[in-house]
Amino acid sequence: MTDNRRWWALGAISLATFMTYLDNNVVNVALPTIQRDLGLGISGLEWIVSGYILVFAGLMLTGGRLADVFGRRRIFMIGLGVFTAASFAAGLATDGTALIAARALQGVGAAFLAPTALALLTSIFPDPRERATAVGLWSAVGALALALGPLTGGLISERWHWGWIYLINVPIGVVTLGLGLWAIRVTPQDRVRHSLDVPGLVTSGLALSALTYALIEGDGAGWTSPEILVSFGLAAAFAAAFAVIETRSHEPMIDLSLFRSRVFSGGLLSMGLWSFGVFGIYFFTALYLQNALGFSPTEAGLSFVPMALVMAVTAAVAQRISRALGTARTVAAGLLLMAVAVFGISFIGQDGSFGDLLPWFLAYGLGGGMLVPLTTAILGTLPTGRTGVASGVLNISREIFGLLGVTVLGAILSGRQSSILQDGARPLTAFLEAYQFTLVIAAVIVLVGVPVSLFSLRSPAAAQDPGSAETADERLAVPAA
């Protein structure tokens, strides 16, 4: 593949990632409008959001495995086509059932796209330096999508028909499909597996679906309700069955010995802690901006844009920082900045303004952007033939920890709020105090990632020779033979 075409391929992969990340949160601020238009109850609204996440998380390992068996380019294109068609159906839906079904189909497309995107980058950019730059640019696009989601949803729901939050994916998807067909070329390692490992596919999909369902529905149904306890039990049982199957398979989906790798397992945990903070803080800070500070949906969405821009710019240059400081110190510094920023936000109350929030938002974006070398380091521990499923594992850790961020922090916030209300406080006062307390808890949890990353991502060579940090990072970025 020519140099020029490789960078066009990066553009296609980044556009596809932008669409799937955007759909993680674009719908939230448009839910009241959808509820009025389609006459839905709370349960219907919840499934518009959770139906996508449930299928997305449940099938991501399957998508990675299919990419390793049938070819990354082929599965990427299929996922892109499915996601685009499902977006068209969602935008034209006239009732709740049709919209939920279309959202689930979007989840199928996203589950094929997400793991193949990272796997394609590792094959299209074999040079470690170029790959690091590509991953940085790809991550920057993802960061922009996370912030532009609420803004896009707010603008569309206030000015146009809500269906356009999905229909905007259609022209982007068509352009990306054409660009990808031209720019993404089949490489010798595009198809590297020979069998599907059907038992592994089934048990992993059922385990992830049961776990995701329990996390989504736990707060509403009650964490000790039979429904949720059964879901957690099924998740554990299928996960155990999956582990047994993988140890006996001649061509397993995941070589479980990979988790013995300090970089792989510690890197996944660090990524999960990052996701825990990002998803939880985005969700509850959006509520704070609207309920406590009186921002409109569009104003709340705009508030996240400076954070996203800083995150995107930092992500694009994060590998240079990593070459100077080393991967471990760069990632640890990023998590530390995020934790400090979350802690700082906890001191801003009802009388705060966007100007008070902005410095902490910028620090948060700077820290988030510095975590890009973490992705390169995790993928660099893997044999080339396993990058499809490994990318699925990476994305799953992000989604599951993100759901944990929303559910765990949500449970803490609700419990604290109820306790304060029982003491006679006003509802807004109770929400603010509970929100601030929850932010402190979130900051502590993200802070745990600092020692985890320093330990797991450290380079023995760099420890012996401070001048060799660049070489050590490059070795982390090269897939094992």
Side-chain angles (χ1 to χ4, degrees):
M1 187 184 299
T2 64
D3 287 345
N4 187 49
R5 189 170 291 193
R6 275 189 298 163
W7 296 105
W8 282 108
L10 171 63
I13 294 167
S14 298
L15 279 174
T17 300
F18 182 87
M19 288 196 303
T20 57
Y21 278 31
L22 195 73
D23 258 61
N24 261 331
N25 57 8
V26 69
V27 69
N28 291 329
V29 294
L31 286 176
T33 307
I34 295 174
Q35 183 179 30
R36 289 192 300 269
D37 194 18
L38 301 184
L40 298 176
I42 296 299
S43 177
L45 290 180
E46 289 176 346
W47 276 105
I48 290 172
V49 177
S50 59
Y52 173 79
I53 298 173
L54 180 66
V55 177
F56 184 24
L59 293 181
M60 217 178 306
L61 271 183
T62 301
R65 178 65 177 196
L66 290 174
D68 286 343
V69 173
F70 296 110
R72 300 161 193 166
R73 180 180 183 271
R74 179 179 298 168
I75 297 303
F76 178 83
M77 294 302 172
I78 291 173
L80 183 57
V82 169
F83 189 88
T84 303
S87 297
F88 183 73
L92 298 181
T94 56
D95 60 71
T97 302
L99 180 55
I100 292 169
R103 287 283 286 164
L105 192 59
Q106 277 188 312
V108 175
F112 286 12
L113 281 173
T116 51
L118 268 175
L120 280 169
L121 289 181
T122 62
S123 59
I124 292 171
F125 296 94
D127 178 74
R129 285 180 178 272
E130 284 194 345
R131 186 190 311 130
T133 301
V135 170
L137 293 172
W138 173 81
S139 300
V141 171
L144 282 174
L146 283 174
L148 292 179
L151 173 60
T152 303
L155 286 170
I156 290 175
S157 63
E158 287 184 11
R159 290 169 172 79
W160 300 341
H161 184 267
W162 59 264
W164 282 102
I165 65 176
Y166 304 114
L167 291 175
I168 57 172
N169 288 331
V170 177
I172 299 174
V174 171
V175 170
T176 305
L177 193 62
L179 183 60
L181 287 170
W182 171 75
I184 301 174
R185 301 288 89 193
V186 177
T187 58
Q189 67 269 40
D190 188 55
R191 178 178 174 177
V192 292
R193 315 295 277 176
H194 304 290
S195 63
L196 275 177
D197 183 19
V198 174
L201 287 175
V202 172
T203 51
S204 66
L206 290 173
L208 289 168
S209 297
L211 176 60
T212 307
Y213 177 85
L215 292 175
I216 291 171
E217 295 295 312
D219 190 46
W223 293 105
T224 58
S225 66
E227 173 189 356
I228 300 305
L229 291 177
V230 168
S231 294
F232 278 125
L234 287 173
F238 284 123
F242 174 74
V244 172
I245 289 168
E246 295 307 282
T247 58
R248 298 179 178 179
S249 174
H250 293 297
E251 202 171 0
M253 287 178 63
I254 302 175
D255 184 350
L256 298 180
S257 65
L258 288 173
F259 288 94
R260 299 175 195 159
S261 164
R262 171 171 48 83
V263 175
F264 185 73
S265 56
L268 285 179
L269 179 57
S270 298
M271 179 66 75
L273 292 168
W274 168 84
S275 183
F276 188 102
V278 167
F279 279 73
I281 299 309
Y282 263 76
F283 185 84
F284 294 109
T285 300
L287 292 176
Y288 164 70
L289 291 173
Q290 295 180 66
N291 295 343
L293 301 188
F295 285 25
S296 70
T298 302
E299 290 171 336
L302 277 170
S303 299
F304 290 108
V305 172
M307 177 199 299
L309 290 175
V310 170
M311 192 179 296
V313 171
T314 307
V317 299
Q319 201 63 30
R320 296 182 184 178
I321 302 173
S322 177
R323 285 197 290 268
L325 300 180
T327 300
R329 287 190 287 270
T330 301
V331 173
L335 288 168
L336 179 62
L337 274 171
M338 292 175 66
V340 169
V342 172
F343 187 70
I345 294 171
S346 70
F347 288 96
I348 302 173
Q350 183 180 356
D351 298 327
S353 65
F354 176 68
D356 298 321
L357 289 166
L358 184 59
W360 301 116
F361 276 7
L362 295 179
Y364 191 87
L366 179 63
M370 291 174 69
L371 266 68
V372 169
L374 178 57
T375 300
T376 308
I378 294 172
L379 292 180
T381 64
L382 303 167
T384 303
R386 296 173 185 163
T387 51
V389 168
S391 299
V393 173
L394 184 61
N395 281 284
I396 285 167
S397 71
R398 194 154 38 203
E399 289 295 317
I400 295 298
F401 272 89
L403 279 173
L404 279 170
V406 174
T407 55
V408 172
L409 295 180
I412 293 172
L413 190 148
S414 297
R416 182 77 172 178
Q417 187 175 9
S418 298
S419 175
I420 296 171
L421 283 171
Q422 289 175 359
D423 292 337
R426 292 182 300 134
L428 180 58
T429 301
F431 170 79
L432 278 172
E433 290 188 21
Y435 168 71
Q436 291 169 320
F437 175 78
T438 303
L439 287 183
V440 174
I441 300 297
V444 172
I445 292 172
V446 174
L447 196 62
V448 172
V450 174
V452 169
S453 56
L454 285 173
F455 169 76
S456 61
L457 303 177
R458 74 188 192 280
S459 168
Q464 296 168 7
D465 178 9
S468 65
E470 181 175 333
T471 304
D473 280 346
E474 288 174 2
R475 278 198 299 273
L476 280 175
V478 179

